[in-house]
Amino acid sequence: MKALLCESHGPAEGLVIRDMAAPQPGPGEIAIAVKAAALNFFDTLIIENRYQTKPDLPFSPSAECAGTVAALGEGVTGWRIGERVAAWLGYGAARERVVIPADNAVRVPDGLSDAQAAGLFVTYGTAMHGLIQRAGLKEGETLAILGAAGGAGLAAVEIGALLGARVIACASSAEKLALAREHGAQEAIDYALEDIRAGLRRLTEGRGVDVLYDTVGGDLAEPALRSMAWEGRYLVVGFAGGAIPRIPLNLLLLKGCDLRGVFWGDFVRRDPEAQRANMEKLLAWAADGCIRAHVHAEIPLERWVEAYALIGDRKAKGKVVLTL
């Protein structure tokens, strides 16, 4: 099989494609012939050894994939060769064949492309966990999303709207905000043109934001935190802006608000039943056309540098997917 490998830590240009022996499933496992492997912002970090997950070298990047069942391990029931399937691996998906525990696989419903299915786990799974388990988002509350046009942000826009929130999309261009509106945002702030704190104050008539979903961090974090409502919940999701902000803790006291981390990868491990319930709801929404994993680009595996650049340069409006 063909595999994209990180053999030494560094930028995406240092990755290589190698031919390797295809893995075979053991007891309780299935093999997947990968058709699509989705990339996320943390993929730009993990290959540089700047992420909390630190796989042994060499490893393949990409945490989620979709394809077809290629082989069944001993004792596996309920699956057939050729069935469409998607899975979350954590890392290792950017290769032509992967092996996973059969219980970790999810059927792909009709009407979803491989690229869309591969993009559901991290972004939509994180948004579901963040907005439901961590924020307890209620119908009618105000939800603001920083980085609303990226893959993670668009997922939060869609799910927030489905949960009945008033969604304020925050992004760095009119084009990105138009995309967020297409996905369900009712209000928008272009933080390249308007101060984020002033914009959120204007749109909430000074009351503040009930839930803030921050995928950006950096210089936007503190003014966004100053825009929280009493008993608001600020969700720390990621740092696409590059810098990890230093938050003055006195703001939490003065605002009476909470700062809550959203670590979906560990949630999957700690509470698999809640995770499966989230994914089943997501797949039902996807099958009904209520959500869609917006794919910015489908790029052949051999052009991985181009795919990484779209994410690293913050040019992606939605998911970037490697095709095999």
Side-chain angles (χ1 to χ4, degrees):
M1 70 171 184
K2 186 167 54 179
L4 181 65
L5 292 180
C6 177
E7 296 181 334
S8 61
H9 295 121
E13 290 82 356
L15 300 177
V16 295
I17 291 180
R18 304 288 190 203
D19 286 323
M20 304 176 63
Q24 301 302 316
E29 296 179 330
I30 64 171
I32 300 174
V34 177
K35 305 298 183 185
L39 294 178
N40 297 274
F41 177 72
F42 66 76
D43 282 296
T44 68
L45 303 178
I46 197 170
I47 61 174
E48 296 185 1
N49 202 31
R50 294 195 295 125
Y51 192 60
Q52 55 260 34
T53 300
K54 299 183 182 296
D56 293 333
L57 296 170
F59 67 91
S60 291
S62 177
E64 49 191 343
C65 67
T68 58
V69 177
L72 304 176
E74 180 183 348
V76 173
T77 59
W79 288 100
R80 301 189 316 273
I81 303 297
E83 278 190 291
R84 298 183 66 213
V85 63
W88 153 261
L89 283 72
Y91 61 88
R95 51 180 61 193
E96 290 182 321
R97 183 162 167 156
V98 299
V99 169
I100 65 165
D103 289 344
N104 291 1
V106 180
R107 282 182 176 81
V108 176
D110 293 338
L112 278 185
S113 69
D114 289 324
Q116 288 175 316
L120 276 173
F121 284 82
V122 176
T123 52
Y124 284 90
T126 298
M128 288 285 281
H129 171 52
L131 297 179
I132 294 175
Q133 278 86 23
R134 299 300 291 142
L137 180 67
K138 303 177 184 66
E139 185 175 357
E141 288 192 311
T142 298
L143 165 67
I145 299 161
L146 304 188
L154 285 174
V157 168
E158 287 188 291
I159 291 173
L162 283 169
L163 294 175
R166 178 191 178 218
V167 179
I168 302 173
C170 307
S172 59
S173 72
E175 182 184 14
K176 290 180 177 181
L177 291 172
L179 180 63
R181 285 186 181 277
E182 291 175 11
H183 282 252
Q186 294 105 319
E187 307 286 354
I189 296 173
D190 184 342
Y191 46 65
L193 300 177
E194 181 179 13
D195 176 75
I196 188 72
R197 185 182 181 192
L200 291 173
R201 184 175 182 83
R202 171 175 58 82
L203 291 177
T204 62
E205 298 180 344
R207 179 184 173 276
V209 174
D210 296 304
V211 176
L212 192 133
Y213 192 88
D214 183 5
T215 72
V216 179
D219 293 338
L220 294 176
E222 185 173 329
L225 182 59
R226 292 180 182 275
S227 307
M228 298 302 295
W230 183 258
E231 296 187 345
R233 289 86 76 199
Y234 189 118
L235 302 181
V236 180
V237 183
F239 309 103
I244 297 177
R246 297 180 180 275
I247 298 297
L249 292 182
N250 65 306
L251 294 178
L252 303 182
L253 183 153
L254 295 172
K255 291 288 182 179
C257 67
D258 295 344
L259 194 64
R260 302 183 184 182
V262 181
F263 188 5
W264 177 77
D266 215 35
F267 163 69
V268 171
R269 180 181 65 85
R270 292 173 179 271
D271 198 344
E273 289 186 10
Q275 155 64 8
R276 180 160 290 278
N278 283 357
M279 289 308 301
E280 288 174 351
K281 183 177 290 188
L282 277 173
L283 288 169
W285 279 339
D288 292 340
C290 298
I291 62 170
R292 58 189 176 97
H294 179 76
V295 178
H296 175 87
E298 297 182 44
I299 298 175
L301 184 70
E302 293 79 6
R303 290 162 48 197
W304 76 85
V305 175
E306 178 184 340
Y308 270 86
L310 284 172
I311 299 172
D313 296 340
R314 298 175 65 185
K315 294 180 179 178
K317 298 186 289 291
K319 294 292 285 196
V320 176
V321 177
L322 297 171
T323 57
L324 292 86

